[in-house]
Amino acid sequence: MSRRSFPLNSVDAFLVTARHLNLTHAAGELCLTQGAVSRKIASLEAWFGFPLFERHARGLRLSPQGSALLPELQSAFAHLLTVADRARGHHTVIRLKAPTCAMRWLVPRLLQVEREQPDLQIALTTTTDHNVNFKTESYDAAIVFGTHMSAGDLLFEEALTPVVSPLRAGAALESLTFLHPTRDKTDWSLWLTQQALPAHAMLKNQHFDTMDLAITAAIQGLGVAIADETLVEEDIRAGRLARPYETSIKTGASYRLVLRESPGAGNGLAAFRACLLSRG
């Protein structure tokens, strides 16, 4: 017989029966019928080609071949369980949903999670959907965005400010193409109103589906984007973007981390949460 045909799922039945030398007790521990235990042992005996037990009126005893095989199978099976436990305990997968607009903030923190929690694996799904429904979606954690939210942990509040390529930082605002993160002009209108600047300053306009796309276009010099100051922090520090104005306006919206109530991934989720909330 080939190695692939080895009845691995019958090994436990042999080990438990060898410990009890009683089919009734073995069946009770394994939550099987005596007949099912006998069939498992018979499949092992058929594969080996020799009997593992000798049947007597008073019960069972190990055959000479079974006695010789028992310690090695006990050791191999214990090692298999140890490997399985270690794998289960040290490779926790966190299924994370995040809006694409948050990626500039999120990616450096995922690198931090990788450094600090190497046994956590983050399975990331990006989306333009800013909400999550744990009843219908199979995520363990999500970053959500919206106004007047209180669920989960606050990551940061949205504060909008203009950003532009450093090569175009000295240009007059009205001479630039206004890059919008949505199909309307709401964000730019909020900021212009706070600055007491007229909305008709937006002579040339380009609309995008996400803030991340608008920021990328600004980096490439297409125009001036209105962006969340937290999301562009690293781009400004690296010199990819400049802030022509120091002022920003809070919109009342925020980014928050929400977790599924899941006992199975409790420790992994707690470690992930601690890393994401760290200000380091």
Side-chain angles (χ1 to χ4, degrees):
M1 292 186 184
S2 70
R3 293 176 64 181
R4 289 185 178 274
S5 67
F6 179 67
L8 186 61
N9 62 352
S10 297
V11 172
D12 193 30
F14 166 65
L15 296 178
V16 172
T17 304
R19 188 170 68 251
H20 290 289
L21 292 177
N22 184 293
L23 282 175
T24 301
H25 294 164
E29 181 174 331
L30 293 166
C31 297
L32 296 171
T33 65
Q34 290 185 48
V37 175
S38 294
R39 286 190 293 274
K40 284 179 177 291
I41 292 172
S43 70
L44 268 180
E45 291 177 325
W47 195 90
F48 284 122
F50 53 74
L52 298 172
F53 294 97
E54 294 175 352
R55 280 78 173 171
H56 297 275
R58 293 187 176 182
L60 301 175
R61 69 175 175 220
L62 286 163
S63 68
Q65 298 97 325
S67 294
L69 190 61
L70 178 61
E72 292 192 52
L73 281 182
Q74 285 175 325
S75 176
F77 196 72
H79 178 68
L80 177 63
L81 292 178
T82 299
V83 170
D85 284 340
R86 189 183 300 125
R88 181 179 62 177
H90 291 284
H91 293 281
T92 300
V93 176
I94 303 294
R95 298 163 298 177
L96 173 65
K97 177 183 179 181
T100 54
C101 58
M103 292 307 295
R104 289 184 132 76
W105 178 89
L106 179 60
V107 168
R109 282 152 184 82
L110 291 182
L111 293 174
Q112 180 183 345
V113 171
E114 190 175 85
R115 288 192 302 269
E116 297 182 7
Q117 301 291 333
D119 295 325
L120 285 184
Q121 179 182 334
I122 309 302
L124 174 65
T125 298
T126 57
T127 175
T128 55
D129 179 11
H130 290 164
N131 299 293
V132 67
N133 186 338
F134 288 127
K135 292 181 179 179
T136 59
E137 298 178 86
S138 58
Y139 298 105
D140 303 302
I143 294 175
V144 297
F145 171 78
T147 57
H148 310 298
M149 295 190 305
S150 59
D153 298 291
L154 175 66
L155 297 174
F156 56 93
E157 295 178 297
E158 183 179 57
L160 299 177
T161 190
V163 289
V164 68
S165 165
L167 298 177
R168 308 196 68 182
L173 188 63
E174 60 272 14
S175 70
L176 297 170
T177 298
F178 282 70
L179 308 177
H180 300 273
T182 59
R183 289 294 168 180
D184 56 31
K185 300 178 180 179
T186 301
D187 289 350
W188 263 117
S189 297
L190 279 172
W191 188 85
L192 289 170
T193 299
Q194 187 203 51
Q195 304 304 308
L197 294 173
H200 60 72
M202 296 184 283
L203 299 177
K204 293 182 290 184
N205 300 277
Q206 187 66 250
H207 299 266
F208 296 89
D209 290 325
T210 68
M211 183 174 288
D212 190 61
L213 290 174
I215 293 169
T216 300
I219 290 173
Q220 295 177 9
L222 185 60
V224 57
I226 189 77
D228 180 83
E229 60 184 4
T230 301
L231 295 180
V232 294
E233 224 170 44
E234 182 55 35
D235 291 307
I236 292 169
R237 186 162 40 243
R240 292 185 291 269
L241 285 173
R243 288 181 65 167
Y245 299 88
E246 288 301 316
T247 55
S248 62
I249 180 172
K250 288 192 174 182
T251 64
S254 61
Y255 291 83
R256 304 184 74 91
L257 173 68
V258 292
L259 306 178
R260 176 190 295 276
E261 293 181 7
S262 174
N267 292 337
L269 280 176
F272 172 70
R273 173 180 175 272
C275 280
L276 230 59
L277 295 179
S278 169
R279 296 297 183 259

